Amino acid sequence: MASSPPDYTLLGQQLEALLDSRDWLANSAQTCAFIMEAIPELNWAGFYLQRRDRVLTLGPFQGKPACNPIPFDKGVCGAAARTHQTQRIEDVHAIADHIACDAASRSELVVPIVTGGRLWGVLDLDSPRRGRFDATDQAGIEALVSVFMARTDLD
Ligand code: SME
């Protein structure tokens, strides 16, 4: 049985208070640590950054060591990077293109971080529970990404 969803409005306020510098490195480290603590049933939470053309580079994260780099034409993160659309995957085993960094992962949510029409990076969340992320979680986590973006200098 799924637990009740986190209070994303409250989490947004707490994240706003936590991000008290404009520095992307401090803020991305704090954001993924906060999400890992505050949102139940996650086994990985972190950032991939666009530092090279059409390639994602691993950034600050919480969880097991992860796959790096990820080209734009591969995986769920690559799909988010290509399309600038959030990818919400009910069952990663059903996605041929999924990159399995941890065999325990069953569902995934990847939110692109786009500023001025350009991809800065993505926030990637993994869960060991199939169907962990519903539409409420997607909207809530997209709102947390908006807080991160508003509080951070993204160059
Ligand atoms: N599963 C992702 C790769 C990143 S890890 O989940 C941390 C993907 O398919 O893009």
Side-chain angles (χ1 to χ4, degrees):
M1 174 78 184
S3 46
S4 56
D7 180 343
Y8 283 108
T9 304
L10 177 61
L11 294 187
Q13 291 163 355
Q14 291 171 333
L15 183 60
E16 242 170 14
L18 181 64
L19 302 184
D20 59 359
S21 81
R22 302 286 313 167
D23 185 275
W24 74 266
L25 181 54
N27 285 359
S28 55
Q30 292 280 51
T31 297
C32 61
F34 175 76
I35 285 174
M36 197 69 166
E37 281 295 310
I39 300 181
E41 298 182 283
L42 302 181
N43 61 330
W44 202 87
F47 290 83
Y48 281 92
L49 313 175
Q50 180 166 18
R51 318 217 106 190
R52 291 155 51 195
D53 190 35
R54 297 187 69 76
V55 174
L56 292 167
T57 299
L58 185 61
F61 68 94
Q62 297 277 310
K64 289 188 178 173
C67 313
N68 179 64
I70 297 179
F72 272 31
D73 58 0
K74 291 246 159 57
V76 181
C77 291
R82 281 195 308 277
T83 62
H84 293 191
Q85 300 288 320
T86 296
Q87 306 292 306
R88 178 156 58 91
I89 308 297
E90 175 100 356
D91 182 357
V92 296
H93 293 179
I95 304 286
D97 195 27
H98 170 252
I99 302 168
C101 299
D102 180 351
S105 297
R106 284 303 301 274
S107 57
E108 181 159 14
L109 185 80
V110 184
V111 180
I113 301 169
V114 177
T115 174
R118 183 184 157 272
L119 186 87
W120 180 83
V122 303
L123 175 71
D124 180 17
L125 306 185
D126 291 323
S127 171
R129 178 160 72 79
R130 186 181 178 283
R132 165 65 188 83
F133 306 103
D134 65 14
T136 302
D137 294 298
Q138 178 175 341
I141 291 158
E142 286 172 342
L144 296 180
V145 168
S146 295
V147 169
F148 166 76
M149 293 177 70
R151 304 289 285 181
T152 305
D153 290 332
L154 301 174
D155 35 58

